[in-house]
Amino acid sequence: MRLSRYLAHSGVSSRRAAEELIRAGRVTVGGEVVTDPARDVDASSGVAFDGRPVAPVAEPVVIAVHKPRGVVSTARDTHGRPTVVGMVRSRRRLYPVGRLDADTTGLILLTDDGELAHRLTHPRYGVPKTYRAVVANAPVGEAALERLRRGLVLDDGPTQPAEVRRLAPDTVELTIREGRKRQVRRMLDAVGHPVRRLTRVRFGPLRLDLPEGAHRTLTAREVEALRAQPAPPRRPPSRRRRRRSSGS
Ligand code: URA
């Protein structure tokens, strides 16, 4: 595997940061400084970072949790509240992929794979997340659904269009590709239907299939499906880059 990837798998840093470390001459292979991030290495190559041998950690793990109400989705809580990480007994250093509010229930992932977590939460990837909301002031009318579908303006800016369907007079299901703070609650507030109960029922290709409070390790196929989330569209070249490449 490429040296930069090997370092990332060893928990030294992200792959991109590893490339910098390699170029800076801080990595040796068999005692020789190597500055090429693409050098092919394996566990027998004798890779060291700042003089200390490094080895890839075991295959990363991804765990699905059905978070109950009152549990916070940080690794630790300064107020001593229960955490999603505390719900799972593991020797791994797991951390939550994104956040759910303490009063939201539903699907949240834990992993020790930093690259995957980044990919699943970075807004550029726009991973779809589906929420089921029981709301006040039922029935939810067509006008409110339409506003949610078109996108509306919150105090931190406009939302992207959401996929929305009404499941019952007081229950809607919303799919969004953003992850702003309390976004679904604020969107529903904005259309006059404050949330009474909120549950995340889907995250990317995964559907919530666990009873509240339960967790399970994802299969290799499910992890593959998560990794296969479409890459973000390429940004058009900046004006400066366009000028440079056209030679003017
Ligand atoms: N949107 C919210 O308002 N709360 C959550 O927990 C997740 C999305």
Side-chain angles (χ1 to χ4, degrees):
M1 108 175 40
R2 283 170 65 98
L3 180 55
S4 53
R5 190 176 154 103
Y6 187 92
L7 290 171
H9 278 245
S10 306
V12 170
S13 67
S14 71
R15 206 183 304 176
R16 186 161 315 155
E19 291 181 1
E20 300 295 317
L21 298 173
I22 295 163
R23 291 203 181 93
R26 295 174 65 183
V27 177
T28 53
V29 178
E32 303 277 317
V33 172
V34 170
T35 54
D36 175 11
R39 165 73 74 89
D40 193 38
V41 293
D42 62 25
S44 68
S45 308
V47 177
F49 167 60
D50 280 349
R52 275 199 306 275
V54 293
V57 289
E59 196 54 29
V61 72
V62 186
I63 295 172
V65 179
H66 186 160
K67 185 185 97 57
R69 246 183 146 118
V71 173
V72 296
S73 51
T74 47
R76 229 166 279 131
D77 184 54
T78 44
H79 296 93
R81 288 173 296 182
T83 69
V84 272
V85 171
M87 289 174 60
V88 175
R89 248 222 232 148
S90 170
R91 276 202 239 147
R92 308 284 189 113
R93 215 169 67 202
L94 298 171
Y95 40 92
V97 176
R99 298 265 184 274
L100 287 178
D101 302 332
D103 44 356
T104 300
T105 57
L107 179 58
I108 185 159
L109 302 180
L110 308 181
T111 187
D112 55 357
D113 184 336
E115 274 196 40
L116 180 63
H118 173 76
R119 219 186 139 87
L120 293 173
T121 50
H122 196 286
R124 277 182 69 205
Y125 290 90
V127 173
K129 287 147 292 217
T130 303
Y131 298 87
R132 193 165 294 170
V134 178
V135 299
N137 304 330
V140 180
E142 262 314 307
L145 297 177
E146 233 359 83
R147 283 186 65 202
L148 294 165
R149 287 190 186 115
R150 275 203 307 269
L152 37 82
V153 179
L154 300 177
D155 52 12
D156 57 353
T159 65
Q160 290 167 11
E163 286 159 42
V164 185
R165 58 191 190 119
R166 186 176 38 213
L167 304 180
D170 67 346
T171 308
V172 290
E173 204 169 80
L174 270 99
T175 301
I176 58 171
R177 290 168 181 272
E178 306 164 274
R180 283 146 59 179
K181 209 164 177 217
R182 296 182 79 82
Q183 181 168 343
V184 172
R185 291 174 195 276
R186 290 188 294 136
M187 288 170 74
L188 285 161
D189 261 346
V191 297
H193 293 285
V195 168
R196 294 248 188 272
R197 219 165 51 236
L198 188 63
T199 303
R200 182 153 71 191
V201 293
R202 250 184 186 284
F203 186 100
L206 300 173
R207 185 200 295 275
L208 179 64
D209 59 1
L210 293 163
E212 198 168 309
H215 63 83
R216 70 176 179 85
T217 302
L218 298 191
T219 64
R221 184 174 287 193
E222 287 172 319
V223 175
E224 267 320 297
L226 281 174
R227 287 191 207 286
Q229 288 302 296
R234 293 175 66 131
R235 266 185 297 160
S238 70
R239 243 195 257 165
R240 243 172 79 201
R241 269 191 288 151
R242 267 206 306 264
R243 233 185 288 134
R244 234 187 280 141
S245 59
S246 68
S248 54

